[in-house]
Amino acid sequence: MSETDPVHPTKARAAGPTDFTDPQLRWEMKRAAVWLGLAGLIVLTVFLAQPLLVIFGGLVFAAMIDGGARLLGRVLPLSRGWRVSIVILLAASFLIWTLTFAGTQLANQAAQLPALVESQANRVLDWLRSHGVRIDFAAVQAVTKEVVGGVGQVTHAVGGLIGGATTLFLILVLGIYISAEPRLYQRGVAWMFPISERGHFHATAAQMGKSLRRLMAGRMLGMALEGVLCWIALSIYGVPMAALLGLLTGILAFIPNIGAPISGLIMVMVGFSVDTSTGLYCIIVYFVLHTVDGNLVAPYIARKTVDLAPALVLGAQLIMGTLFGILGLALADPLVAMIKIALERHSARHEAEWHAAYPDGEDDDEEEGATA
């Protein structure tokens, strides 16, 4: 039919394939559409899990910038934009200083570390074999190569060859944009909720932001404390690669439960590569550092933020690390904390509604059961 042809009046009033006259059928079709849409959203989330994790990493970095800006606000009477700019410049200056002045020394030490770890692992295997322990050396050597490869990747990152530079760059850019205008993005997300739910969303987002800022501030404090103390303690005793070991200890302290044993193992292996007394000294340094962190820093952070069960965090790290690698492993802790806050807020809201509906603490079903 051409554009000039008149529309047939009977066809114009005829029901189409998507018209349902039965109200019950229309209701069921709407319900089916909702469930299909929800299933599609879940599938889309699974496929977009990696980008969503990068976005969450940007939120974590934005919380760190925002926390630094709020801290500066206590001593500098400047606008928020200036304080955010100062924090970003300070972070960039520290990174440039590390790469410029310490990069050469750390890169040289990093090049030696994988071979040293492999030689120490072989010494341990030889000692076990000499004492009658039966070991599948082919499998152990394969595992050792994997570990050495992992150490090499970490140390190359320290030297400037950063793996996943695109992901890191996206996280940094997202964090800067979000920290510059956080309320703009919060209002944009709230707009997608019904009007009746927006107040609850804003309150939950505010609590999440506060807890995330404190969590990241405590994490940065723990990283700096462990890294600097480790470097000083190892330098005093003359342990090789003290600067690199201190930096690795500080970086791995960002990952609770898992980072500390890895950094401690590397430290002890480097110590025993010198002699027995140096190895024992490294063991003492490791236990002292993590005793201070476990008994002073970590409890303080837990009191000020979200108190998470260690087993819960470890389980989340294993799952996130398996699914998304080092990025998932690093972000598992703050992600679990944010989910816990959302669930607690949701539970508290419904508990308040229940008490408002049933001030006597009994609902209709309980009253009917008591009558029966």
Side-chain angles (χ1 to χ4, degrees), residues 250-265:
I251 293 174
L252 291 173
F254 187 83
I255 308 174
N257 300 327
I258 295 177
I262 296 175
S263 62
L265 178 62

Side-chain angles (χ1 to χ4, degrees), residues 78-97:
L78 299 175
S79 64
R80 188 179 183 281
W82 282 107
R83 287 184 276 118
V84 169
S85 301
I86 291 173
V87 172
I88 295 174
L89 288 175
L90 289 175
S93 301
F94 175 76
L95 181 61
I96 293 173
W97 176 85

Side-chain angles (χ1 to χ4, degrees), residues 347-372:
S347 177
R349 180 187 184 186
H350 283 279
E351 183 178 0
E353 292 175 352
W354 187 87
H355 284 297
Y358 306 104
D360 296 333
E362 296 182 352
D363 56 17
D364 296 336
D365 295 336
E366 292 177 348
E367 291 177 358
E368 291 176 1
T371 303

Side-chain angles (χ1 to χ4, degrees), residues 26 45 70 73 80 85 107 125 154 163 197 204 209 228 230 323 348 361:
R26 285 202 303 268
T45 302
R70 290 171 181 264
R80 188 179 183 281
S85 301
L125 294 178
V154 172
E197 300 291 328
T204 302
V228 172
C230 178
L323 293 176

